[in-house]
Amino acid sequence: GVQTCALPILKVDCNHAQKLMMKYMDGLLSSEEAKKLNAHIRICPNCRSEFFVYDSIMENAEMIAHEKITAD
């Protein structure tokens, strides 16, 4: 059987990290998932750089949306 322990398993593979990033983009990431993603991007340079790309896209999208709202 699968062994369970009190501590959450923070080990996430790159594939899972990608899915978590997508959930982050959609604003659907739980705090538990955020911890897992955080732990992964700390140790994985590829996912870390990808995450920062997503993050900057998110910031730009918010600024664009904000500008459109305030343009009226």
Side-chain angles (χ1 to χ4, degrees):
V2 177
Q3 212 172 3
T4 57
C5 69
L7 291 171
I9 309 290
L10 291 178
K11 185 112 180 69
V12 170
D13 64 16
C14 295
N15 206 11
H16 190 182
Q18 296 289 324
K19 289 179 184 152
L20 294 179
M21 283 185 222
M22 290 297 148
K23 286 183 83 172
Y24 169 77
M25 296 269 291
D26 293 333
L28 301 172
L29 205 62
S30 72
S31 61
E32 198 54 51
E33 289 170 326
K35 280 181 202 158
K36 289 179 182 178
L37 181 56
N38 222 344
H40 181 81
I41 63 176
R42 258 191 230 133
I43 57 168
C44 179
N46 289 346
C47 288
R48 180 166 51 238
S49 60
E50 215 165 303
F51 179 77
F52 285 120
V53 169
Y54 283 137
D55 206 40
S56 64
I57 291 168
M58 292 277 287
E59 282 180 20
N60 290 339
E62 281 174 20
M63 278 196 287
I64 292 164
H66 188 70
E67 281 169 22
K68 284 183 180 166
I69 293 165
T70 57
D72 282 354

